[in-house]
Amino acid sequence: MAEKISIQGLHGRARRFLEADTVDKMARILKKEPLTLAALAALPPYRCFFIPKKNGGRRHIENPGSPLKKIQRNLNNFLQAVYYFHRTGSAYGFLLNPTDEPRPRHILSNAEAHVGCQWLLNMDMKDFFHTIPQSRVEELFEAPLFGFGEQLSRLLAGLACFHGRLPMGAPTSPVISNLVSIPMDEDLQHLADRRGWMYTRYADDMSFSSKNEPITEEAVAEITHWVQLYGFEVNPEKCILYTPDRVDKEVTGLWVGATEVGLAPDYTTQLEGAIEHLGGVVAAQFLTPSGKNQASPWVRELEQMVRGKLEFARQILGAYDEVYLRLEEQFEHAMEPPEEYGPLSWLEFGYETPR
């Protein structure tokens, strides 16, 4: 659940963090002993595993241990507060939107910025977190934005990094990547402004659009050059240039039309398939021994995943959209037990001892 805090609350939190300019002061606001922070920064505990990517391949996840993750979550709250007052106009991903934010930034508003475009360029930065080394994170905390000393900067970088770079899985990685990307965003924004383009970045996904001036292959090469100057690498396999004749324009998985944003064409189909699969799993659990008494953890995880996809559809389509209402009805039906069910194990059947 997103944290509820006002702009004034963020301002106070940011000031409190920036004033914690020694290891002892930082330890107090992070609610840990300095020696504990130093030990976790020196030998950060992580559990590493892989999860399948949507389009094939595997994503390397580095999950911090519970004590470190708790510190990182606290640190993330402070860093988000600082970043809110220094974010560029192009940043939309992994942002904290205060309760009184007049123009919230999220995946929908990111796509809405490109509505009505004729040309659209999507570019993806390869291994975004992993290309930010620990030395660069230390430099971030030493830079004027924070102005911390070497000892504190090294400690904070150690708490946020793993194997000498930002990990994929730490709560602090998204906001630190945003902070590190401020100079790049500013230069890419200047480039876009000179050409009359719109530029937005959602994490590692960059989108450039134009209603009048064409976006050419030469422009792609120039953008790639700027991205490389800041130590990032463009993934050529995810570089897509849409021309005015293309009606299938997408930004971060959302369809961008002439006047509105919608779900990508295959999202509804995939969600219907997921709901159908969930319905089969729910029905099966009522036909297994003791299954009707308590859902297995992985069944609950599947339900939460489908709920999340359904909630995303509601946010994009609206709560009263016909497509969303149909999907919601299908989900509710999938979660209902079958009208007739019974245990398969003979141990579940009641019986009487023959006289």
Side-chain angles (χ1 to χ4, degrees):
M1 182 179 294
E3 181 187 15
K4 294 183 178 181
I5 188 171
S6 66
I7 294 176
Q8 183 178 1
L10 284 179
H11 187 272
R13 181 181 292 175
R15 184 180 66 251
R16 185 182 172 204
F17 183 77
L18 294 174
E19 290 174 350
D21 55 359
T22 68
V23 171
D24 287 340
K25 290 179 181 177
M26 187 62 66
R28 281 197 290 272
I29 71 168
L30 293 179
K31 301 177 182 179
K32 291 292 180 181
E33 293 295 325
L35 287 178
T36 301
L37 296 179
L40 290 172
L43 293 171
Y46 280 83
R47 182 175 69 89
C48 303
F49 55 93
F50 292 89
I51 61 173
K53 291 184 179 180
K54 182 171 128 179
N55 298 322
R58 299 189 302 170
R59 188 182 303 279
H60 186 203
I61 301 297
E62 296 148 322
N63 185 38
S66 181
L68 177 58
K69 181 179 285 189
K70 185 175 180 179
I71 293 171
Q72 289 174 340
R73 284 173 175 163
N74 198 2
L75 181 57
N76 172 67
N77 289 335
F78 284 110
L79 293 177
Q80 286 282 9
V82 174
Y83 182 63
Y84 178 82
F85 298 101
H86 296 274
R87 59 185 184 170
T88 63
S90 54
Y92 279 78
F94 303 120
L95 300 181
L96 182 62
N97 288 302
T99 53
D100 49 350
E101 168 60 50
R103 299 180 63 186
R105 301 190 196 179
H106 39 59
I107 193 169
L108 177 57
S109 56
N110 177 65
E112 288 174 337
H114 302 278
V115 165
C117 65
Q118 294 295 305
W119 288 267
L120 173 65
L121 170 65
N122 289 329
M123 303 181 76
D124 176 88
M125 287 179 281
K126 188 176 181 181
D127 297 327
F128 186 47
F129 292 164
H130 288 178
T131 54
I132 300 177
Q134 186 164 336
S135 59
R136 196 169 175 185
V137 179
E138 290 183 24
E139 292 171 0
L140 168 70
F141 288 118
E142 291 177 355
L145 176 59
F146 293 96
F148 294 153
E150 181 179 344
Q151 184 183 12
L152 178 56
S153 297
R154 188 185 306 116
L155 174 69
L156 293 173
L159 291 171
C161 294
F162 183 55
H163 287 329
R165 40 63 174 165
L166 285 185
M168 174 68 76
T172 43
S173 291
V175 67
I176 290 178
S177 68
N178 275 338
L179 285 160
V180 167
S181 298
I182 288 175
M184 181 187 71
D185 282 340
E186 290 175 342
D187 281 336
L188 291 178
Q189 186 65 63
H190 290 323
L191 184 152
D193 289 343
R194 290 197 303 270
R195 291 164 172 77
W197 300 347
M198 170 62 69
Y199 163 59
T200 65
R201 180 180 61 82
Y202 192 94
D204 57 350
D205 291 317
M206 300 177 293
S207 296
F208 299 82
S209 67
S210 172
K211 295 183 179 180
N212 299 305
E213 294 295 321
I215 299 178
T216 64
E217 293 294 342
E218 290 75 14
V220 175
E222 185 177 2
I223 294 169
T224 301
H225 173 70
W226 278 105
V227 171
Q228 291 173 341
L229 282 179
Y230 285 99
F232 298 111
E233 181 181 354
V234 171
N235 186 348
E237 296 179 358
K238 295 185 177 180
C239 182
I240 303 175
L241 178 59
Y242 296 92
T243 52
D245 58 313
R246 294 280 298 271
V247 296
D248 59 340
K249 297 180 177 71
E250 289 187 22
V251 172
T252 51
L254 294 176
W255 173 79
V256 176
T259 59
E260 61 182 358
V261 169
L263 293 174
D266 59 346
Y267 189 90
T268 301
T269 302
Q270 292 178 358
L271 180 52
E272 287 178 333
I275 292 174
E276 182 179 357
H277 175 63
L278 175 63
V281 170
V282 170
Q285 81 176 13
F286 283 91
L287 299 175
T288 56
S290 301
K292 61 185 178 182
N293 297 323
Q294 184 176 4
S296 302
W298 69 270
V299 177
R300 288 195 294 270
E301 289 179 8
L302 177 61
E303 177 190 348
Q304 292 172 1
M305 182 271 292
V306 177
R307 280 186 185 276
K309 290 182 177 295
L310 185 63
E311 171 60 19
F312 181 71
R314 187 193 67 79
Q315 293 176 3
I316 303 302
L317 299 175
Y320 302 102
D321 180 83
E322 291 184 5
V323 174
Y324 169 73
L325 291 174
R326 174 170 55 81
L327 290 169
E328 184 182 43
E329 183 179 359
Q330 291 175 357
F331 176 79
E332 292 176 353
H333 178 71
M335 293 302 300
E336 295 175 354
E339 292 183 1
E340 295 183 4
Y341 64 85
L344 296 181
S345 170
W346 63 272
L347 293 173
E348 298 283 344
F349 285 95
Y351 63 94
E352 297 180 351
T353 303
R355 293 184 173 86

